[in-house]
Amino acid sequence: MVGNESWGRDEVPVIGKGFESSYEPKRLSEQRLDQGTQKRGRFSIPKLGILLLCCLAAVSEATYAKYKDPKQPVGVRIEDLMSRMTLAEKIGQMTQIERSVATPDVMKKYFIGSVLSGGGSVPTIKATPETWIKMVNTIQKGSLSTCLQIPMIYGIDAVHGHNNVYKATIFPHNVGLGVTRDPQLIKKIGDATALEVRATGISFVFAPCIAVCRDPRWGRCYESYSEDHKIVQLMTEIIPGLQGDIPGNSKKGVPFVSGKKKVAACAKHFLGDGGTTKGINENNTVISLNGLLSIHMPAYLNSIRKGVATIMVSYSSWNGKKMHANRDLVTGFLKNKLKFRGFVISDWLGIDKITSPPHANYTYSVEAGVGAGIDMIMVSNFTEFIDVLTYQVKHNIIPMSRIDDAVKRILRVKFVMGLFENPMADYSLVNQLGSLEHRELATEAVRKTLVLLKNGESADKPLLPLPKKATKILVSGTHADNLGYQCGGWTITWQGLGGNDLTSGTTVLQAIKNTVDPTTRVVYSENPDSDFVKSNKFSFAIVVVGEPTYAETFGDSLNLTLSEPGPRTIYNVCGAVKCVVVVISGRPVVMQPYLSSINALVVAWLPGTEGQGVADVLFGDYGFTGKLARTWFKTVDQLPMNVGDPHYDPLFPFGFGLTTKPTEG
């Protein structure tokens, strides 16, 4: 039994902030349900009986329901709907489950509020937009079959375009976009991403990542726009791109999403994810409160002002305290001080990781995470989460006021974005996925993300731009003809894929062939020996090398070296012919040993599917304009080293970037 025998038949305790008990009348359906035996929040009454009771209670008050009326103010709709909800329905709203377990029956039985696709979680391999829509709508029908018909919200990681989806436009990762310092470009990318996400029936994205990466050894550094919070703040302009421009008369902190062509965004990861010791993922950020607020917090202020709908909590700790359990920062600062009115979401199994090892004391994790102020929880074992949270509420361990705060915020986002009026996806936007217009935008972005770090031995003898007309040119390197490496992690799968079969796009090699004069012979040899290079009398060579694909902890690196045989390719080619080296990487890597043998050096970061942008600038159709948004170190022993540090002695400083003018003609 759940220990509510002492309550009056018509009363249920509601615990306020100060833990004072007050009482409110129970809904008819709740009174009836309490008469059945309950085990950890799972009712023994047959499911059909619950739904009938629920629906009878809901419709007996009136056929007209204010919460279903879009003409009513959002606050009125929330209040009306919440007055009709059972505890089970409320806790269901707080639960986000993985697509693979989200059957219509599960959605209906547990009143699930949200579903997600994890990295690489797709309905079928190379699924079409129509297949995605059919899957999302099938899940949604389960939610709409409940008596209150509260639609679920479907979330996905769209961190550089709609990156889980086959044939979507893959934009450069954030590490490159920060180079542009161009908020209007970023806003356009947000707008294009929203359209491609909506093209698959999805309305919620776990983006943007507004981490301030202070150490490139971190495996998520490519998800960060810059080591400088001011650039990260500029880049929050992606939020109105994703969600729409917030009206001028909006209250601070209130979420805003402007209709069916926009998506709810998610600023992440709150707070200090980019400042961990040695860049170790999910680790400890050791910094004063002043440092935390001055470096890692500012972009959240911008995001909230722009109406960001949701904020995701970081796996990391601040001075030893897990952020998923940090009530002072999540509730005290984010919700109370900054007046954020959207909902706070956990990261995947984020509350499990409050303990070490994860899930060691799940009861404590639920209490600490929900108690800290997290409103929606990403869970794998949803029945366990629902059971534990139900038990804790019924035993006054977690106050009902905390549940109501969470549900109010979740419903606010759903009402604001029009999900109640348009819960089902249609096929009207399917042609937006990977559209020519979006690919052209991505190509423009690639051009602007490139940084020219070296151009000839002296300013009066530049190698770039390269001539399109040459007898014979060599293209080499592991990354020259590899679309997967170009895109990096979080592309089709969580960790990313090598090769050219993952999605559609243009490799750097193909782009070079597209760009040079028809009479120029392009020879591709991935890793030639020096004799081959010397004997062929090439006019010049382009060597494209870099890092493998990775995401999160798998990308943590203490040495930051180029993938083998990259260094050998550089020596073999650049020792025999004039060469430009193009680096495809998610962060600065060790380059000092090779610099003297390289004639020109370009960093292309992780450009995505549109490799044409690289060739456009190499061959002078456009000039180099990019300036480093990250410090390029000499050796890893210097790390962490950021602009303004007393020991600042970089190979290339923050803000550095040579420029070229487009070639005439």
Side-chain angles (χ1 to χ4, degrees):
M1 296 295 289
V2 176
N4 60 357
E5 293 86 355
S6 61
W7 302 348
R9 273 179 66 86
D10 300 315
E11 296 174 328
V12 61
V14 179
I15 309 299
K17 279 182 183 172
F19 293 89
E20 308 92 350
S21 291
S22 57
Y23 291 88
E24 62 178 24
K26 257 190 187 176
R27 206 175 93 181
L28 170 65
S29 55
E30 286 179 307
Q31 295 171 29
R32 294 286 295 274
L33 290 173
D34 279 343
Q35 293 168 9
T37 304
Q38 299 167 354
K39 283 189 179 180
R40 298 288 299 279
R42 227 181 284 175
F43 303 116
S44 61
I45 298 174
K47 184 173 68 174
L48 183 62
I50 292 177
L51 286 170
L52 282 172
L53 287 167
C54 165
C55 292
L56 283 169
V59 297
S60 64
E61 295 173 29
T63 51
Y64 167 77
K66 282 184 182 176
Y67 79 89
K68 290 186 176 180
D69 183 355
K71 293 176 184 169
Q72 292 288 339
V74 168
V76 171
R77 297 179 78 183
I78 293 169
E79 190 177 338
D80 179 64
L81 178 50
M82 287 187 65
S83 72
R84 303 165 186 268
M85 293 174 75
T86 62
L87 177 60
E89 286 163 333
K90 289 177 178 179
I91 288 174
Q93 284 301 302
M94 297 171 66
T95 308
Q96 186 181 63
I97 66 174
E98 220 285 324
R99 173 202 65 79
S100 55
V101 295
T103 64
D105 283 349
V106 163
M107 301 303 290
K108 183 176 181 179
K109 181 177 179 181
Y110 296 99
F111 313 105
I112 300 296
S114 185
V115 176
L116 83 152
S117 271
S121 178
V122 297
T124 58
I125 301 298
K126 298 186 177 180
T128 63
E130 291 84 355
T131 302
W132 280 93
I133 289 170
K134 186 178 177 184
M135 175 196 72
V136 173
N137 281 346
T138 299
I139 296 168
Q140 188 69 281
K141 284 173 186 171
S143 295
L144 298 180
S145 69
T146 59
C147 63
L148 294 175
Q149 299 176 336
I150 304 173
M152 67 87 195
I153 184 170
Y154 196 108
I156 197 164
D157 285 281
V159 298
H160 60 142
H162 197 9
N163 49 257
N164 271 299
V165 177
Y166 182 59
K167 290 191 174 178
T169 309
I170 304 298
F171 291 92
H173 266 299
N174 292 353
V175 66
L177 295 178
V179 161
T180 71
R181 295 163 171 79
D182 185 345
Q184 289 312 304
L185 174 69
I186 302 311
K187 186 176 182 180
K188 287 178 190 171
I189 289 172
D191 179 64
T193 301
L195 285 169
E196 296 209 13
V197 171
R198 282 288 195 171
T200 58
I202 295 169
S203 58
F204 176 22
V205 298
F206 306 131
C209 177
I210 55 171
V212 182
C213 174
R214 303 289 285 175
D215 193 323
R217 291 175 290 188
W218 185 36
R220 304 194 78 157
C221 206
Y222 65 76
E223 297 184 57
S224 168
Y225 294 107
S226 178
E227 70 193 43
D228 179 4
H229 69 82
K230 291 192 274 307
I231 291 177
V232 180
Q233 288 178 270
L234 270 182
M235 298 296 104
T236 59
E237 197 61 16
I238 195 171
I239 292 168
L242 291 164
Q243 297 190 156
D245 288 304
I246 190 166
N249 60 352
S250 289
K251 280 186 183 175
K252 184 191 170 189
V254 174
F256 177 76
V257 184
S258 69
K260 291 199 289 183
K261 292 185 178 180
K262 295 296 182 181
V263 294
C266 179
K268 66 184 189 183
H269 309 84
F270 187 85
L271 182 65
D273 51 346
T276 60
T277 303
K278 295 185 179 178
I280 299 169
N281 191 41
E282 304 181 13
N283 208 258
N284 191 23
T285 297
V286 179
I287 195 170
S288 67
L289 177 61
N290 182 55
L292 187 75
L293 299 186
S294 62
I295 294 171
H296 299 283
M297 184 69 80
Y300 286 92
L301 277 68
N302 295 82
S303 301
I304 291 166
R305 281 192 207 107
K306 292 173 183 181
V308 73
T310 73
I311 290 176
M312 186 184 294
V313 181
S314 178
Y315 286 126
S316 58
S317 303
W318 173 49
N319 294 339
K321 174 84 170 175
K322 288 277 189 182
M323 278 305 310
H324 274 74
N326 196 320
R327 191 173 191 278
D328 290 341
L329 284 172
V330 175
T331 295
F333 202 91
L334 181 60
K335 290 184 171 182
N336 295 344
K337 191 172 179 69
L338 300 185
K339 307 294 183 198
F340 174 60
R341 293 290 175 264
F343 68 80
V344 176
I345 187 167
S346 80
D347 208 330
W348 176 249
L349 303 182
I351 64 167
D352 300 56
K353 293 184 178 185
I354 289 172
T355 59
S356 184
H359 206 82
N361 184 346
Y362 195 62
T363 302
Y364 168 73
S365 288
V366 172
E367 182 185 351
V370 175
I374 302 173
D375 305 310
M376 183 179 283
I377 317 292
M378 291 188 190
V379 294
S380 59
N381 187 340
F382 59 89
T383 55
E384 181 187 25
F385 169 72
I386 290 168
D387 288 351
V388 170
L389 184 53
T390 303
Y391 179 89
Q392 290 183 353
V393 175
K394 287 187 174 291
H395 281 72
N396 302 338
I397 296 163
I398 290 178
M400 194 66 200
S401 59
R402 173 72 274 275
I403 303 300
D404 286 343
D405 170 62
V407 177
K408 188 179 293 184
R409 290 165 177 276
I410 293 163
L411 294 178
R412 182 179 290 125
V413 169
K414 290 182 177 184
F415 280 125
V416 161
M417 66 191 293
L419 202 55
F420 279 78
E421 287 68 58
N422 296 292
M424 303 299 288
D426 61 43
Y427 296 89
S428 61
L429 295 174
V430 293
N431 291 334
Q432 294 287 342
L433 190 84
S435 71
L436 180 60
E437 185 182 350
H438 295 166
R439 291 188 184 276
E440 287 173 352
L441 175 65
T443 307
E444 177 193 350
V446 173
R447 294 181 203 122
K448 292 180 176 179
T449 62
L450 303 178
V451 183
L452 180 56
L453 298 175
K454 182 178 179 179
N455 192 14
E457 294 311 312
S458 59
D460 59 340
K461 290 185 179 176
L463 179 59
L464 296 167
L466 298 166
K468 292 183 182 178
K469 196 162 189 172
T471 308
K472 185 166 57 170
I473 66 174
L474 173 65
V475 180
S476 294
T478 48
H479 290 55
D481 190 31
N482 198 305
L483 192 63
Y485 287 174
Q486 241 172 252
C487 293
W490 289 111
T491 308
I492 304 300
T493 67
W494 176 38
Q495 294 297 317
L497 297 163
N500 293 332
D501 188 43
L502 70 165
T503 190
S504 55
T506 305
T507 67
V508 175
L509 174 63
Q510 187 58 52
I512 291 167
K513 290 178 176 177
N514 294 345
T515 305
V516 296
D517 189 89
T519 62
T520 301
R521 187 174 163 211
V522 178
V523 176
Y524 172 60
S525 177
E526 185 175 313
N527 184 32
D529 60 34
S530 55
D531 290 341
F532 172 84
V533 182
K534 286 172 187 169
S535 63
N536 264 282
K537 296 182 180 174
F538 294 106
S539 304
F540 56 84
I542 301 169
V543 180
V544 191
V545 291
E547 293 189 293
T549 66
Y550 56 79
E552 301 192 39
T553 307
F554 292 92
D556 286 357
S557 170
L558 294 175
N559 56 28
L560 295 178
T561 51
L562 290 170
S563 297
E564 293 293 345
R568 189 164 70 251
T569 308
I570 292 173
Y571 286 130
N572 287 349
V573 175
C574 298
V577 66
K578 278 189 299 185
C579 77
V580 52
V581 171
V582 179
V583 176
I584 305 271
S585 70
R587 52 198 164 189
V589 290
V590 173
M591 287 306 297
Q592 191 177 31
Y594 324 117
L595 204 54
S596 60
S597 61
I598 292 170
N599 299 101
L601 176 61
V602 174
V603 57
W605 311 107
L606 297 169
T609 51
E610 305 314 303
Q612 187 61 49
V614 177
D616 286 349
V617 184
L618 288 179
F619 288 92
D621 287 333
Y622 295 81
F624 281 93
T625 57
K627 305 289 184 184
L628 288 178
R630 300 210 58 79
T631 296
W632 203 292
F633 59 87
K634 290 177 180 173
T635 66
V636 289
D637 300 339
Q638 295 175 299
L639 300 176
M641 178 176 65
N642 295 287
V643 62
D645 286 352
H647 66 293
Y648 199 67
D649 180 28
L651 185 61
F652 301 106
F654 176 91
F656 179 79
L658 302 171
T659 57
T660 61
K661 288 191 165 60
T663 308
E664 291 180 11

